């Protein structure tokens, strides 16, 4: 998947205190690309700076199979990672983070086990798949957001 943009991605945004962060459902622009905020992964507050990591859908990518309708019931899976104790990738295995496995995005929801095996650490997670919104909905949301911005610029 190197070099290929993903439909579901993580976006980090920083806000000064007393400035409202993005909400789920907002469309934001970064590097001339529009993203729909699907969820909040985590946040940190350092001094007067609020940093938020969002799960977002790239609205510029429309060549994907809409899976919304295929999965009516929410479901979870168990994911397992085993790494050396000093591997930097362990720091990325925190609750709320999004990981891609076989082309599917999963959000880690809870730990189901932590095991020490010699110099390795094995962590199991309960994760849920994240599906992009339907292509028609994504296009409608993008056009609606652009229309709002144009109205603001005209006034």
């Amino acid at each position: 998947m190197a070099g290929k943009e993903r439909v579901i991605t993580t976006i980090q945004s920083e806000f000064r205190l007393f400035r409202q962060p993005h909400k789920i459902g907002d469309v934001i622009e970064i590097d001339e690309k529009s993203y729909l905020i699907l969820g909040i992964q985590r946040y940190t507050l350092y001094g007067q700076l609020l940093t938020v990591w969002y799960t977002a859908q790239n609205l510029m990518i429309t060549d994907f199979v809409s899976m919304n309708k295929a999965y009516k019931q929410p479901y979870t899976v168990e994911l397992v990672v085993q790494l050396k104790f000093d591997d930097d990738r362990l720091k990325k295995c925190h609750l709320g983070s999004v990981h891609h496995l076989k082309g599917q995005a999963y959000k880690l929801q809870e730990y189901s086990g932590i095991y020490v095996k010699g110099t390795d650490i094995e962590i199991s997670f309960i994760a849920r798949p994240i599906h992009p919104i339907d292509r028609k909905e994504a296009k409608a949301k993008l056009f609606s957001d652009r229309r709002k911005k144009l109205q603001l610029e005209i006034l």
Side-chain angles (χ1 to χ4, degrees):
M1 296 281 304
K4 185 179 179 193
E5 287 189 88
R6 295 185 172 178
V7 176
I8 305 292
T9 189
T10 298
I11 294 175
Q12 177 183 339
S13 293
E14 293 181 341
F15 305 91
R16 295 261 175 234
L17 278 187
F18 309 113
R19 183 169 166 248
Q20 204 59 250
H22 306 302
K23 298 183 300 283
I24 295 173
D26 285 354
V27 175
I28 61 173
E29 280 200 33
I30 299 173
D31 297 329
E32 298 181 12
K33 295 177 187 165
S34 296
Y35 295 91
L36 173 66
I37 303 295
L38 298 176
I40 298 169
Q41 293 181 17
R42 67 184 174 117
Y43 73 93
T44 60
L45 183 59
Y46 185 77
Q48 296 203 1
L49 190 65
L50 174 66
T51 305
V52 182
W53 286 263
Y54 295 101
T55 303
Q57 177 177 341
N58 185 342
L59 294 176
M60 309 314 279
I61 298 175
T62 57
D63 60 342
F64 62 89
V65 177
S66 296
M67 299 178 129
N68 247 18
K69 313 289 188 274
Y71 300 101
K72 301 247 188 282
Q73 295 294 330
Y75 70 94
T76 59
V77 296
E78 186 170 21
L79 302 178
V80 178
V81 64
Q82 183 173 336
L83 298 167
K84 293 285 180 205
F85 75 96
D86 58 352
D87 193 319
D88 285 338
R89 293 177 293 175
L90 274 176
K91 295 175 185 165
K92 295 177 182 174
C93 294
H94 52 80
L95 298 183
S97 60
V98 175
H99 300 271
H100 294 268
L101 181 65
K102 298 180 183 174
Q104 173 64 52
Y106 293 92
K107 187 172 194 173
L108 304 183
Q109 294 197 293
E110 66 181 80
Y111 299 106
S112 56
I114 299 176
Y115 308 97
V116 176
K117 296 182 175 182
T119 60
D120 288 1
I121 295 180
E122 180 181 289
I123 304 174
S124 342
F125 305 93
I126 301 298
R128 72 174 172 83
I130 300 175
H131 303 291
I133 64 170
D134 185 70
R135 286 185 293 188
K136 288 181 183 178
E137 289 179 52
K139 284 182 183 179
K141 187 83 170 161
L142 180 61
F143 290 130
S144 170
D145 187 67
R146 286 185 176 164
R147 195 176 321 117
K148 283 182 197 172
K149 286 182 181 175
L150 285 174
Q151 286 292 348
L152 290 175
E153 291 174 9
I154 291 172
L155 297 175

